[in-house]
Amino acid sequence: MITLDQVSKIYRAGGNKIAAVDEVSLTIPAGRVTGIIGQSGAGKSTLIRMLNGLEKPSSGSVLVAGRDMGRASGAELRKARLKIGMIFQHFNLLWSRTARANVAFALEIAGIPRAERRARVEELLRLVGLEGREDSYPAQLSGGQKQRVGIARALANAPDLLLCDEATSALDPQTTDQILDLLSEINRRLGLTIVLITHEMHVVRRICDHVAVMEAGRVVEEGLVSEVFAAPKQPITRRFIRQTSEEGGFDPALAPPEGALLRLTYAGEGGAAQDSAFSEAVLKLGLRANLLQARLSQTLEGPSGEIVAHLPDPAQARALAEFLATRGIGVDLLREG
Amino acid sequence: MLAEWISAALPNVRLAPLLKATQDTLYMTAMAGAAVFVLGLLLGTALYLTSPGRLLANRPLYWTLSTLTNVFRAIPFIILLVLLIPFTRAVVGTILGVNAALPALIFGAAPFYARLVELAFREVDRGVIEATRAMGGGIGTVVLRVLIPEAAPALVSGLTVTLIALVGYTAMAGAIGAGGLGHLAYLEGFQRSRRDVTLAATLAVLLIVFVIQFLGDRLARRLDKR
């Protein structure tokens, strides 16, 4: 569906060259939800804008549905964009238009006749759950409702691809989950490809099949969410995984001052059952281990679990880590003891 | 009773010339205002689009338009009136009367309104323009369906300010032969030492200005859905 080959975007600031995107090669599968995660300034915003030609690559090629977005003419690009929806962190609705008229705007651009527009707008607003608010202006809608209008507008011309630019970053946690679930549902029902960028691991965990981790303009790690999470290779990825844990409230300062601290993560099919591996290890290796925290969270592939354990004996901690690694459980040594 | 009181307070004021002068001022303000709206919108749009970082960013073109705008804005109106006499004679055929005032009024006010249009467009959220482009919208869509409607309240407020400035300009034009309330106040009132005529003309100008301000504010508020 989408293939990026050696894509770079160089900005010149004064005499310096800054690579916002640095030699990125990536394949994004059709019909799936792919997350690109990175901190601000990692280049993910520039990268996603190259997928609809809002930014042109300095070198390399960006192929979307067989079209080279970096070399397409203005008219070609405008035509291609009708089939690529985009939603934004700050919604970017026209405040001078009602919800209905905002959605209709996308259809006006596509040249759809008025009569057809009407019916289609109703259908779209129903799809995103905005019945009854059709005639409200954006200023009268909550953040979540505004994003629903944004989603309806992005879906107006039945796109094959939906780009989400930090779509939930301006929303509260509960609204974030509602919008994420809506996106997930749209992905399943309409079978369209979704590419989202975010700095929040929670977003990736909840709705993404694939993830690419960006740092300083490069994609440093990518793959299935379950695999990348079970065995993160890069420090930045581990930092992001820790981020979701911190949202759960584990504070190392509350742990006993001596001994090792381990974080175990297990996800994917049958993930919930794998925590038996922990008790198995404790019994088999005769360990002394304290459970400090354990929790399950919802991901696309079912529940994913996390245990934070304290082992007074660092040698036992290493033995436990080795044993669990053979069971496909992610082990993160928070403190060596 | 009221009529008696007025004729006692303003002994030299005759209703017919006052109404005629008011009508002339309104005519000049409206005709020039319509032309200023169209020209200012076009010039303001060009200024906005060619300015650095915008859709049609073009440094030399922006610099040229910007300099021209500044030059016309910098010339004091009373001097512009005189400078444009040859142009006015060529285009209108005379340098007297309400129509002869129009070229100077338009050249004086259009650059002013153009700057206000540029400013109004700059206030439009860049994100909305990006969203429009992401939906496949071209420059025409951005200008006609995003910039103008989204900036509408500011465009109206700017036009209100411009129309009020135009009323002031017509008074200056009136003093050198265009007619209207400026003519009445200066030539019929001041130069003939009829203070009451000057006062009546001033009151008529104030009334016009207040009505324009009131209507402009109301329209701007109605258009604002933020």
Side-chain angles (χ1 to χ4, degrees):
Chain A
M1 168 83 201
I2 301 171
T3 317
L4 291 98
D5 186 29
Q6 298 283 304
V7 174
S8 295
K9 176 75 182 185
I10 315 282
Y11 288 107
R12 267 165 245 277
N16 300 342
K17 284 185 186 174
I18 296 159
V21 174
D22 194 2
E23 305 259 306
V24 168
S25 296
L26 190 64
T27 302
I28 293 172
R32 294 301 176 86
V33 184
T34 299
I36 298 170
I37 187 167
Q39 285 158 343
S40 52
K44 54 195 195 302
S45 188
T46 307
L47 189 70
I48 201 171
R49 278 168 176 71
M50 291 201 271
L51 300 183
N52 61 359
L54 288 174
E55 297 271 8
K56 300 256 178 196
S58 307
S59 62
S61 71
V62 180
L63 287 179
V64 178
R67 195 190 307 257
D68 188 337
M69 300 300 284
R71 287 172 189 81
S73 70
E76 247 185 305
L77 216 47
R78 285 199 295 278
K79 196 164 159 245
R81 284 172 183 160
L82 295 177
K83 290 291 171 193
I84 305 175
M86 189 167 189
I87 59 174
F88 303 86
Q89 178 174 6
H90 298 295
F91 325 122
N92 296 352
L93 302 177
L94 281 80
W95 61 255
S96 59
R97 288 177 173 237
T98 60
R100 192 196 302 272
N102 262 291
V103 178
F105 186 38
L107 298 166
E108 288 167 26
I109 291 174
I112 308 294
R114 182 183 296 267
E116 240 173 279
R117 285 206 298 261
R118 250 196 118 65
R120 178 87 181 119
V121 168
E122 297 306 312
E123 184 190 328
L124 286 159
L125 287 170
R126 216 175 313 121
L127 175 73
V128 299
L130 272 181
E131 301 98 327
R133 301 312 305 264
E134 296 92 340
D135 295 314
S136 303
Y137 286 93
Q140 300 164 317
L141 299 173
S142 69
Q145 288 171 327
K146 281 184 222 172
Q147 196 57 288
R148 285 171 193 270
V149 177
I151 293 170
R153 180 175 74 173
L155 296 176
N157 292 308
D160 308 311
L161 171 63
L162 178 64
L163 307 176
C164 308
D165 176 13
E166 295 274 6
T168 57
S169 300
L171 303 174
D172 61 65
Q174 202 187 342
T175 313
T176 292
D177 285 352
Q178 287 166 1
I179 294 293
L180 291 177
D181 291 347
L182 175 64
L183 289 173
S184 199
E185 186 197 327
I186 285 164
N187 164 253
R188 278 194 307 271
R189 268 173 62 176
L190 308 178
L192 84 177
T193 309
I194 296 183
V195 178
L196 61 86
I197 62 172
T198 182
H199 62 275
E200 293 170 317
M201 204 62 198
H202 171 76
V203 172
V204 174
R205 255 188 209 280
R206 194 164 178 108
I207 67 164
C208 293
D209 304 282
H210 284 74
V211 63
V213 183
M214 275 190 91
E215 189 180 26
R218 293 176 167 272
V219 168
V220 294
E221 188 158 4
E222 56 146 326
L224 285 170
V225 170
S226 50
E227 288 168 7
V228 170
F229 278 18
K233 294 185 189 69
Q234 299 292 330
I236 180 86
T237 314
R238 273 184 224 127
R239 264 211 302 282
F240 277 120
I241 292 172
R242 213 166 294 156
Q243 177 192 46
T244 31
S245 317
E246 275 154 17
E247 280 161 15
F250 177 73
D251 181 356
L254 299 176
E258 304 288 317
L261 285 179
L262 282 176
R263 183 198 312 284
L264 317 172
T265 46
Y266 43 93
E269 276 166 54
Q274 286 179 357
D275 58 348
S276 65
F278 177 73
S279 49
E280 195 185 323
V282 170
L283 291 172
K284 207 162 172 178
L285 306 174
L287 302 175
R288 202 152 73 83
N290 307 315
L291 280 184
L292 299 182
Q293 188 177 24
R295 63 179 185 141
L296 283 171
S297 54
Q298 183 59 42
T299 70
L300 200 63
E301 287 149 8
S304 113
E306 180 190 285
I307 292 173
V308 179
H310 168 244
L311 285 88
D313 179 357
Q316 289 194 352
R318 283 192 291 278
L320 176 63
E322 272 168 36
F323 178 85
L324 292 176
T326 64
R327 299 298 185 94
I329 289 175
V331 183
D332 189 8
L333 202 55
L334 297 181
R335 191 172 78 197
E336 305 224 3
Chain B
M1 168 72 191
L2 187 67
E4 276 166 35
W5 184 81
I6 287 174
S7 67
L10 309 166
N12 299 309
V13 175
R14 299 286 170 272
L15 194 61
L18 182 64
L19 284 181
K20 173 76 173 86
T22 305
Q23 196 187 334
D24 284 351
T25 292
L26 287 175
Y27 173 84
M28 286 187 281
T29 307
M31 296 302 278
V36 163
F37 177 65
V38 174
L39 291 175
L41 202 56
L42 288 173
L43 181 57
T45 306
L47 280 168
Y48 170 82
L49 289 175
T50 57
S51 60
R54 303 291 172 174
L55 286 175
L56 299 175
N58 181 325
R59 218 167 258 282
L61 190 55
Y62 179 72
W63 187 86
T64 310
L65 290 173
S66 184
T67 306
L68 270 176
T69 309
N70 289 344
V71 164
F72 273 95
R73 273 205 316 152
I75 300 174
F77 184 69
I78 194 84
I79 298 174
L80 188 67
L81 272 170
V82 182
L83 283 178
L84 283 177
I85 283 176
F87 176 80
T88 304
R89 186 173 286 135
V91 175
V92 189
T94 171
I95 58 161
L96 291 176
V98 285
N99 286 321
L102 294 180
L105 291 173
I106 293 165
F107 274 91
F112 176 67
Y113 188 53
R115 282 293 183 200
L116 295 181
V117 169
E118 184 192 3
L119 220 63
F121 286 174
R122 277 182 198 281
E123 293 296 308
V124 174
D125 186 2
R126 278 172 187 267
V128 180
I129 295 164
E130 183 178 50
T132 307
R133 293 181 58 221
M135 282 186 271
I139 300 237
T141 307
V142 168
V143 173
L144 296 175
R145 298 188 184 216
V146 180
L147 289 176
I148 293 177
E150 293 283 293
L155 293 178
V156 169
S157 309
L159 190 63
T160 308
V161 172
T162 307
L163 285 175
I164 289 169
L166 268 175
V167 173
Y169 288 175
T170 65
M172 279 190 253
I176 68 158
L181 290 164
H183 172 90
L184 191 71
Y186 185 70
L187 293 176
E188 309 285 327
F190 175 72
Q191 294 211 327
R192 297 188 188 181
S193 297
R194 292 169 177 165
R195 281 202 188 156
D196 57 332
V197 174
T198 306
L199 184 65
T202 308
L203 290 175
V205 167
L206 286 179
L207 185 68
I208 292 175
V209 168
F210 285 158
V211 169
I212 292 173
Q213 187 72 56
F214 174 76
L215 293 178
D217 286 350
R218 230 171 81 141
L219 183 60
R221 248 200 322 274
R222 181 170 302 181
L223 288 170
D224 200 339
K225 311 288 186 194
R226 274 171 290 196

